[in-house]
Amino acid sequence: MKLTNNTVLVTGGATGIGYALASRFLERSNVVIICGRRANKLAEVQQLHPQIHTKVCDVADPGERQALAKWATENFASLNILVNNAGIQRRVDLDRLEEDWDVTGSKIRINLDAPIHLAQLWGPHISRQSDSAIINVTSGLSFVPLASVPVYCATKAALHSFTMSLRWQMRESPIEVIEIIPPAVDTDLQAPGLHKFGVNVDEFADHVFDELEAGNTEIAYGTALASSQASRNELDSIYERMNGSST
C-alpha cells in the first residue's frame, strides 16, 4: 500500500500499538487523526505531535461511532485509511460468573462491534478515495486462545473471520483490506506492566510498516506468525503449552 500522502484515522491511537502506528504514519507525511476515550492521553500525544488531530470518542457507543464518522468525513474529506486498532483485554473467570454483563459487553462492543460498524460507516466514503484501505488489528490469540482472557480471544477470532470476508467482498473494489496480527506486545493493553514479557512495541510497528511497504495484506510477527500459520495439531500443542493444560 502507499504509505505517504494519505489521510489516516487510527482508533485507540493515543497509546500502545495505535500510537506506534499513528506516529509512523505521521513520519511518512500523512495527515493523521487519532481517537480514544481518554482526553488526557490524547492531549499528551498532541503535545508531542501538534500535527496529529485528536477526537475524544468511546467506540463502544454506536452513537459516538456515528458522530466520529460524520465529524471525520466533514473535516477530512480526503480520509482514505481507517485503522481499527482500539481494543480492550481483561481477565475473567467464567466459572465464577464474577464479571457484570455490562463489563463483558463493553469488551465485545469495543473489540468487535466497533470495527465492523466503522467499516460499514466509512466504506462508502473510503471507496471514493484513491489508495484506500481498511486495516483491522486482531491478535495471535485469534488462532489459539489464552483461556484466562476468553472474551478477548473470541472477539479477535471473530474479527479475523470478518476481515477475511471483508477482503473477499472488497476484492474488486478500490479498498485494500489488511489484517495486522500482533503477538503479546509490551503495552498497557490489560493493565500497566502486565505485558512486559511481550515484544517491544517499536520493534513490532517497524515490522508492520516493512510488511505494508512490501504489499502484504496479512501481517503477523513472532509467536503470532507461528500461530497464524500452524496446523491443527500444532495449534493444539500451542494451546496446551500456553494454558498449562495436561490434556
Side-chain angles (χ1 to χ4, degrees):
M1 66 176 283
K2 184 168 75 74
L3 294 180
T4 59
N5 300 313
N6 300 291
T7 302
V8 185
L9 187 142
V10 183
T11 68
T15 59
I17 292 173
Y19 171 72
L21 297 178
S23 62
R24 281 157 179 77
F25 275 117
L26 186 67
E27 290 169 358
R28 289 162 173 80
S29 302
N30 297 285
V31 175
V32 178
I33 311 120
I34 63 172
C35 71
R37 292 178 294 170
R38 295 176 290 179
N40 62 317
K41 292 297 182 182
L42 293 170
E44 288 174 10
V45 172
Q46 205 160 43
Q47 279 190 325
L48 288 171
H49 305 287
Q51 312 96 310
I52 290 182
H53 305 272
T54 65
K55 180 72 171 175
V56 176
C57 176
D58 181 358
V59 296
D61 185 323
E64 291 201 30
R65 296 195 292 261
Q66 291 173 321
L68 174 67
K70 185 174 185 294
W71 171 82
T73 51
E74 287 179 351
N75 289 278
F76 304 93
S78 61
L79 178 65
N80 65 320
I81 296 177
L82 168 65
V83 182
N84 280 312
N85 165 76
I88 185 170
Q89 184 186 103
R90 294 287 184 271
R91 294 178 182 270
V92 59
D93 187 340
L94 298 175
D95 185 52
R96 297 182 181 180
L97 299 177
E98 62 186 14
E99 186 172 78
D100 184 84
W101 176 252
D102 284 343
V103 177
T104 302
S106 71
K107 289 181 280 193
I108 298 170
R109 292 190 296 272
I110 291 170
N111 295 352
L112 183 59
D113 289 9
I116 294 175
H117 191 193
L118 291 173
Q120 291 179 325
L121 287 170
W122 261 300
H125 176 84
I126 289 177
S127 67
R128 295 191 294 270
Q129 314 304 313
S130 60
D131 303 301
S132 55
I134 294 174
I135 303 175
N136 291 333
V137 179
T138 60
S139 171
L141 300 179
S142 304
F143 302 89
V144 54
L146 180 64
S148 60
V149 287
V151 178
Y152 176 84
C153 296
T155 57
K156 291 299 186 177
L159 184 57
H160 166 68
S161 175
F162 172 77
T163 305
M164 291 181 67
S165 297
L166 183 65
R167 184 182 296 122
W168 179 260
Q169 291 195 9
M170 296 291 184
R171 67 193 184 280
E172 295 181 359
S173 84
I175 300 176
E176 189 170 15
V177 178
I178 297 166
E179 180 178 6
I180 296 174
I181 309 170
V185 176
D186 185 7
T187 68
D188 292 348
L189 174 65
Q190 192 171 127
L194 288 186
H195 284 77
K196 291 297 183 186
F197 61 89
V199 303
N200 178 271
V201 67
D202 289 317
E203 175 188 337
F204 174 67
D206 287 341
H207 171 75
V208 168
F209 271 77
D210 287 343
E211 294 290 292
L212 289 173
E213 191 167 25
N216 294 320
T217 58
E218 187 174 286
I219 301 169
Y221 188 66
T223 56
L225 178 61
S227 295
S228 69
Q229 297 184 349
S231 68
R232 178 55 193 265
N233 286 340
E234 289 169 334
L235 288 173
D236 287 345
S237 177
I238 294 168
Y239 177 83
E240 291 174 7
R241 185 170 63 252
M242 193 166 65
N243 290 288
S245 172
S246 59
T247 58

